[in-house]
């Protein structure tokens, strides 16, 4: 056992180290949150006793963190009266409360009317997981939910829960949530779907939601030959025709067992789209794709990293568009794939300083783990027991979205720039005579060429990604200070030192890049030992952008907390004998807290 404790200490130490050698700041209570999360699934009606007091502290902390930057109201869900796996206190963000933004956007929603619509619409969606606003950005609500309920659930929710729980003992617990009003509604066969989906549509319109992103790989979820759920894209009456529907199929939580089995390496991991149950093709309106420079026809050849990146780019482009409409993201039950993208959206916008502006990295990490994952019912205990580590993937994936191509600030800067001369493009640069360029590393004594990677596929490039900046030391420093330098940027000038002139601490450093064709590999632009996914970023030559720094701090804080709580618990629980030390060592190596290489920087 002493060996196990030693391995645990090594894991926690490795996970918490940063490039400066100091541990990342920890949010008080994050360890307790992860312990509770890995102990049991959250259920609103079970918030009593010792576990209940911990959950109350978690919910109270979430309300405090939301209140730092927003004025909000609360939709009461005490004892799970509305939804058994939603927070007891559902936060409805009304407007930003900072002095700078308090008069910019104000809520036009009456919370009492919202609560009434929620109560009426909950039957429309799987497990009663209604459309719930969770992020407020530029006055737009980003919402989450489950998919639409089908006949199988409307006429037998208890049976439905039993099917989806795999026969667990608590599968019948939600039967208490069925009210007399619900039963009366079900008895009216003729207009059943018109009524329940009509209320769902009213709720969507009340929240000004226009875009609905469906992550299901199926048109309808089928169990034992019965359609137990549906979706907006196959609603026969086309009730959702007034909304912009996007079918962006994304692998379910079962696929993430393969991610764990590959030592937590997502590069090169491609979903099998030829399986019988996969019948939902990717479908995105053309007007939403033209600015992204992504070849969507190749989506079945993308690995997990590239697919997640491209879907996130799509969601970010929607919420950064000029229209004032909100966005709904959902999968089947809304507690695996949905929190993955909700959490990535929240962290990406926060890293750009656009939401939760007063929260520190450890605080926004606590908020998204607690609210987006735990309090909305993600079954971490079950997922860990099956090796389906989508929760871990989410935060480890932050290293793949640090570049400026995911920045919403870049989009806003592009919108504010004056129109460029359409006659100037990359060919004009190539046409410059060699004597005008001076050398391959300089355009002359006064200017250097800065190239940022295109947000599209590898090899694509547009004139919008080129800027001419002064090359002097002071002016370059000023430029870097006023621009969020992309980790993919390359600065060409004559003063760049060759490798043999690098400081001793930097000699011999080689930037680790995967041979995978995924474009994601270029976003991980830091030096490290080996290729372990949990390796904490080491010092590098290029200065980090603010976005990259913030996301790296969140990821480092998560890895440190996860390795000392959830990771070690999972390793110990899987041991049928006393060989815990070996299992811990395997875990430490498997997730990269200890590199297989013995070389050091």
């Amino acid at each position: 056992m002493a060996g196990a404790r030693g391995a645990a200490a090594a894991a926690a130490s490795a996970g918490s180290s940063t490039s400066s050698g100091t541990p990342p700041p920890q949010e008080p209570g994050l360890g307790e949150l992860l312990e509770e999360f890995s102990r049991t699934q959250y259920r609103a009606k079970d918030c009593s006793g010792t576990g209940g007091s911990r959950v109350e502290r978690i919910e109270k902390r979430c309300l405090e963190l939301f209140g730092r930057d927003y004025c909000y109201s609360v939709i009461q869900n005490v004892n799970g009266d509305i939804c058994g796996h939603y927070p007891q206190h559902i936060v409805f963000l009304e407007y930003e409360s900072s002095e700078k933004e308090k008069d910019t956007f104000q809520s036009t929603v009456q919370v009492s009317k919202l609560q009434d619509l929620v109560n009426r619409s909950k039957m429309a969606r799987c497990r009663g997981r209604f459309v719930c606003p969770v992020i407020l950005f530029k006055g737009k609500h980003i919402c989450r939910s489950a998919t639409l309920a089908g006949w199988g659930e409307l006429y037998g929710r208890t049976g439905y829960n039993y099917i989806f729980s795999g026969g667990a003992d608590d599968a019948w617990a939600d039967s208490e949530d069925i009210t007399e009003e619900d039963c009366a509604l079900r008895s009216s066969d003729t207009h059943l779907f018109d009524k329940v989906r009509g209320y769902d549509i009213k709720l969507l319109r009340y929240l000004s939601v226009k875009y609905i992103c469906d992550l299901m790989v199926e048109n309808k979820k089928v169990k034992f030959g019965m359609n137990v759920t549906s979706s907006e894209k196959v609603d026969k009456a086309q009730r959702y025709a007034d909304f912009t529907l996007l079918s962006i199929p994304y692998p379910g939580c079962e696929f993430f067992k393969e991610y764990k089995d590959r030592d937590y390496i997502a590069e090169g991991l491609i979903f099998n789209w030829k399986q019988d149950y996969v019948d939902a093709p990717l479908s995105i309106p053309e007007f939403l794709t033209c600015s992204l420079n992504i070849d969507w026809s190749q989506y079945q050849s993308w690995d997990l990293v590239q697919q997640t990146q491209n879907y996130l780019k799509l969601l970010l482009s929607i919420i950064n568009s000029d229209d004032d409409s909100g966005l709904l993201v959902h999968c089947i039950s809304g507690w695996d794939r949905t929190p993955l993208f909700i959490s990535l959206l929240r962290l990406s916008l926060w890293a750009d300083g656009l939401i939760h502006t007063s929260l520190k990295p450890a605080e926004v990490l606590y908020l998204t783990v607690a609210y987006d994952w735990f309090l909305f019912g993600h079954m971490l205990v079950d997922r860990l027991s099956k090796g389906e580590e989508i929760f871990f993937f989410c935060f480890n994936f932050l290293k793949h979205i640090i570049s400026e191509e995911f920045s919403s600030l870049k989009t806003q800067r592009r919108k504010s720039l004056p129109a460029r001369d359409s006659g100037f493009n990359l060919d004009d640069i190539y046409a410059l005579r060699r004597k005008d360029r001076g050398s391959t590393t300089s355009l002359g004594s006064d200017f250097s060429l800065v190239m940022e990677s295109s947000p599209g596929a590898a090899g694509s490039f547009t004139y919008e990604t080129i800027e001419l900046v002064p090359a002097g030391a002071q002016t370059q420093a000023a430029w870097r200070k006023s621009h969020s330098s992309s980790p993919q940027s390359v600065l060409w000038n004559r003063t760049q030192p060759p490798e043999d002139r690098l400081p001793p601490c930097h000699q011999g450093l080689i930037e680790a890049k995967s041979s995978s064709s995924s474009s994601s590999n270029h976003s991980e632009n830091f030096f490290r030992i080996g290729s372990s996914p949990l390796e904490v970023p080491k010092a590098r030559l290029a200065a980090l952008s603010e976005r990259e720094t913030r996301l790296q701090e969140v990821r480092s804080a998560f890895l440190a907390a996860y390795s000392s709580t959830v990771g070690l618990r999972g390793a110990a629980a899987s041991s049928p004998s006393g060989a815990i030390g070996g299992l811990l060592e395997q875990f430490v190596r498997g997730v990269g807290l200890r590199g297989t290489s013995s070389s050091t920087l």
Side-chain angles (χ1 to χ4, degrees), residues 11-12 15 26 30-31 34 37-38 264 365 380 384 388-393 395 534 555-570 587 591 593:
Q26 293 292 315
L30 180 59
L34 289 174
F37 197 4
S38 61
Y264 303 90
L365 171 62
L380 182 61
L384 288 174
E388 300 167 353
E389 299 203 30
I390 188 172
F391 172 68
F392 172 79
F393 170 81
F395 296 94
L534 271 180
R555 179 172 175 264
S556 295
F558 172 80
L559 299 183
Y562 189 93
S563 65
S564 61
T565 53
V566 181
L568 297 180
R569 169 174 295 189
F587 172 79
V591 298
L593 292 174

Side-chain angles (χ1 to χ4, degrees), residues 342-576:
I342 290 295
S343 192
L344 291 177
L345 282 171
R346 190 184 301 278
L347 291 172
S348 182
L349 293 172
W350 166 83
D352 289 332
L354 298 175
I355 63 172
H356 303 296
T357 55
S358 69
L359 298 190
K360 299 176 182 177
E363 292 172 334
V364 76
L365 171 62
Y366 184 97
L367 179 63
T368 191
V369 170
Y371 197 74
D372 297 331
W373 289 90
F374 175 63
L375 294 175
F376 273 87
H378 175 68
M379 298 190 293
L380 182 61
V381 181
D382 177 77
R383 301 301 183 248
L384 288 174
S385 69
K386 298 175 181 177
E388 300 167 353
E389 299 203 30
I390 188 172
F391 172 68
F392 172 79
F393 170 81
C394 175
F395 296 94
N396 194 39
F397 184 77
L398 294 178
K399 62 186 178 181
H400 295 297
I401 63 169
I402 56 179
S403 69
E404 296 302 306
E405 63 184 303
F406 296 94
S407 174
S408 296
L409 289 175
K410 182 177 181 180
T411 303
Q412 294 180 9
R413 285 197 300 266
R414 184 181 295 117
K415 290 179 180 179
S416 64
L417 288 174
R420 302 184 186 223
D421 182 0
S422 59
F424 179 77
N425 54 39
L426 187 59
D427 292 335
D428 295 324
I429 294 180
Y430 289 148
L432 291 174
R433 291 178 299 174
R434 184 173 184 84
K435 67 178 183 179
D436 296 324
R437 293 200 300 266
S439 71
T440 58
T441 59
S442 175
L443 286 176
S445 59
D446 298 323
F447 291 93
S448 291
L449 180 65
V450 174
M451 299 180 63
E452 294 186 36
S453 66
S454 170
S460 60
F461 197 69
T462 65
Y463 69 88
E464 292 184 349
T465 60
I466 297 177
E467 293 183 56
L468 293 176
V469 295
Q474 294 182 348
T475 48
Q476 284 188 19
W479 183 88
R480 282 196 174 96
K481 186 176 181 180
S482 62
H483 289 67
S484 295
S485 177
S486 167
Q488 301 181 26
S489 297
V490 178
L491 179 61
W492 291 339
N493 60 39
R494 291 183 301 202
T495 61
Q496 188 170 349
E499 185 175 333
D500 58 358
R501 292 171 56 193
L502 293 176
C505 62
H506 290 145
Q507 289 184 10
L509 290 178
I510 301 177
E511 184 176 352
K513 289 187 178 179
S514 170
S515 60
S516 168
S517 61
S518 169
S519 65
S520 65
N521 303 319
H522 303 291
S523 66
E524 190 180 355
N525 189 21
F526 49 81
F527 298 105
R528 64 182 189 177
I529 303 173
S531 58
S532 56
L534 271 180
E535 193 79 45
V536 177
K538 302 297 190 297
R540 68 177 193 181
L541 297 182
L544 300 180
S545 69
E546 183 177 2
R547 173 186 174 84
E548 181 173 0
T549 299
R550 286 157 71 90
L551 289 176
Q552 294 286 27
E553 288 181 7
V554 170
R555 179 172 175 264
S556 295
F558 172 80
L559 299 183
Y562 189 93
S563 65
S564 61
T565 53
V566 181
L568 297 180
R569 169 174 295 189
S574 63
S575 175

Side-chain angles (χ1 to χ4, degrees), residues 34-227:
L34 289 174
E35 287 284 355
E36 180 67 16
F37 197 4
S38 61
R39 183 184 70 85
T40 183
Q41 183 189 13
Y42 167 81
R43 295 179 62 85
K45 64 174 60 179
D46 294 339
C47 294
S48 59
T50 305
S53 62
R54 286 196 292 265
V55 173
E56 286 178 2
R57 286 197 295 272
I58 292 169
E59 288 199 289
K60 183 178 179 181
R61 180 58 173 161
C62 286
L63 294 177
E64 177 187 344
L65 293 174
F66 276 121
R68 296 268 191 91
D69 299 287
Y70 297 94
C71 287
Y72 65 85
S73 298
V74 172
I75 300 173
Q76 296 297 339
N77 183 39
V78 179
N79 297 320
D81 293 337
I82 305 175
C83 179
H85 295 106
Y86 272 16
Q88 287 198 101
H89 308 290
I90 301 171
V91 175
F92 174 69
L93 302 176
E94 298 192 48
Y95 54 90
E96 292 187 68
S97 57
S98 65
E99 288 297 321
K100 180 180 179 181
E101 298 287 348
K102 68 179 182 179
D103 296 324
T104 304
F105 302 105
Q106 292 194 14
S107 174
T108 59
V109 173
Q110 299 176 9
V111 177
S112 59
K113 184 172 182 180
L114 178 63
Q115 179 118 22
D116 180 63
L117 283 172
V118 163
N119 282 313
R120 292 176 180 272
S121 68
K122 63 180 182 179
M123 291 298 299
R125 294 195 173 263
C126 172
R127 300 182 183 273
R129 294 173 68 88
F130 58 89
V131 175
C132 184
V134 288
I135 299 175
L136 182 65
F137 174 59
K138 297 198 302 187
K140 307 174 186 181
H141 290 292
I142 301 173
C143 306
R144 63 182 295 170
S145 74
T147 191
L148 294 178
W151 288 101
E153 179 171 10
L154 290 177
Y155 284 104
R157 175 169 292 177
T158 55
Y160 170 85
N161 287 332
Y162 183 79
I163 291 171
F164 269 79
S165 68
D169 292 337
D170 67 347
W172 305 92
D174 282 347
S175 61
E176 300 173 12
D177 296 340
I178 303 174
T179 65
E180 293 182 5
E181 180 183 358
D182 296 335
C183 294
L185 181 62
R186 292 175 180 178
S187 66
S188 177
D189 294 352
T190 307
H191 303 294
L192 179 61
F193 280 118
D194 284 340
K195 286 185 178 181
V196 294
R197 292 185 181 175
Y199 286 131
D200 182 67
I201 290 171
K202 286 182 179 179
L203 177 58
L204 287 166
R205 287 175 175 164
Y206 197 63
L207 294 170
S208 298
V209 170
K210 176 182 177 182
Y211 302 97
I212 300 178
C213 295
D214 182 351
L215 296 164
M216 294 170 59
V217 298
E218 314 96 333
N219 286 320
K220 296 182 179 182
K221 186 67 177 181
V222 178
K223 284 287 185 178
F224 307 117
M226 179 177 66
N227 293 331

Side-chain angles (χ1 to χ4, degrees), residues 20-33:
S20 62
T22 59
Q26 293 292 315
E27 164 69 11
L30 180 59
E32 180 186 63
L33 166 62

Side-chain angles (χ1 to χ4, degrees), residues 242-313:
D242 291 339
F243 297 88
T244 301
L245 305 180
L246 297 88
S247 174
I248 48 175
Y250 189 83
C253 60
E254 301 87 356
F255 183 64
F256 287 83
K257 183 171 190 310
E258 296 187 37
Y259 167 67
K260 181 193 176 192
D261 292 345
R262 296 176 83 250
D263 290 334
Y264 303 90
I265 297 175
E267 292 89 344
L269 180 57
I270 301 175
F271 181 67
N272 180 11
W273 297 95
K274 298 186 182 301
Q275 299 174 81
D276 292 340
Y277 69 93
V278 178
D279 60 358
L282 184 138
S283 176
I284 308 171
E286 186 177 355
F287 75 93
L288 291 175
T289 65
C290 55
S291 63
L292 292 175
N293 197 18
I294 295 172
D295 186 357
W296 295 97
S297 66
Q298 298 299 312
Y299 77 98
Q300 293 188 357
S301 67
W302 296 338
D303 65 15
L304 184 60
V305 173
Q306 192 172 8
Q307 185 179 24
T308 309
Q309 284 182 318
N310 288 339
Y311 283 9
L312 181 62
K313 289 177 185 178

